[in-house]
Amino acid sequence: MPDDPVLRAMRAQDRRRFLPADVVDEYQRDEPLPIGFGQTNSQPSTVARMLTLLETFQGMRVLDVGSGSGWTSAILAELGGPDTRVFAVELVPELVERSRAVVPAHRVSVHRAEPGGVLGLPGYGPFDRILVSAMADSMPEQLTDQLADGGVMVAPWADVMHRVRRSGGELEVSAHDGYRFVPLR
């Protein structure tokens, strides 16, 4: 599908810019690639599937949890256009610094994960979209609490990708295929 907006955005944000020198030559492989500190740059087909499930739109406010190299954050900014704001959250300080150097700073702000087991950025919400690139044991309620009304979260837990849509006080949850990710901490 050459006109697919997700694939177009992924091409515009060349994966090579987000990979360390020792694996950059493997950028076309459809598999997760190590970025150091026990973390990976996600498999492109998985990223495409997650972004399709996320139902992105122009001008959205997005939370990208487990942003790692910053690649998905940059793709989200590309998908949402100039009025979109992406708030990226990463646990590893070195990856926070590395991704700040390559993401479009005018639309993506990269934050170090808050201490004490706080997930996301509760002080910056609510968010129209939340993308989680780390595996939880169960639905991360701290993140669903940060979803705006009508908001969508795509997150893996219990080895399955899920889409959560908030409608008023209700959450509609659907399951989509099995996946593997680094653990959500």
Side-chain angles (χ1 to χ4, degrees):
M1 290 185 195
D3 290 341
D4 181 298
V6 169
L7 296 179
R8 193 169 47 247
M10 289 175 73
R11 281 191 304 273
Q13 296 300 323
D14 189 342
R15 188 181 191 200
R16 288 176 283 195
R17 283 193 7 246
F18 301 90
L19 294 173
D22 62 328
V23 295
V24 74
D25 290 340
E26 300 177 48
Y27 78 98
Q28 289 185 309
R29 294 176 68 176
D30 189 28
E31 60 185 57
L33 295 175
I35 57 173
F37 312 98
Q39 306 300 306
T40 62
N41 177 278
S42 294
Q43 180 173 339
S45 60
T46 300
V47 171
R49 177 72 173 135
M50 291 174 73
L51 293 175
T52 300
L53 288 170
L54 197 60
E55 300 173 7
T56 60
F57 63 91
Q58 297 285 308
M60 61 190 164
R61 287 176 48 84
V62 184
L63 176 63
D64 185 11
V65 178
S67 59
S69 68
W71 187 44
T72 54
S73 301
I75 297 167
L76 285 162
E78 186 77 28
L79 280 166
D83 295 328
T84 286
R85 292 286 296 138
V86 177
F87 299 83
V89 179
E90 174 53 50
L91 183 65
V92 180
E94 294 87 350
L95 293 177
V96 169
E97 292 308 314
R98 192 184 306 164
S99 63
R100 282 180 179 158
V102 293
V103 297
H106 59 288
R107 289 187 283 163
V108 178
S109 58
V110 183
H111 303 262
R112 179 147 185 238
E114 294 184 22
V118 174
L119 294 178
L121 293 170
Y124 291 84
F127 299 98
D128 301 309
R129 298 293 183 264
I130 299 175
L131 180 69
V132 183
S133 297
M135 184 70 68
D137 294 329
S138 59
M139 183 166 59
E141 292 182 20
Q142 285 186 57
L143 296 175
T144 60
D145 290 345
Q146 295 171 53
L147 267 178
D149 189 30
V152 173
M153 176 177 76
V154 172
W157 68 81
D159 297 324
V160 174
M161 187 64 62
H162 294 85
R163 176 173 46 202
V164 179
R165 184 182 310 275
R166 175 178 291 290
S167 181
E170 300 295 315
L171 298 176
E172 173 189 314
V173 181
S174 57
H176 305 269
D177 306 323
Y179 290 92
R180 294 178 57 113
F181 282 87
V182 297
L184 181 64
R185 297 176 264 166

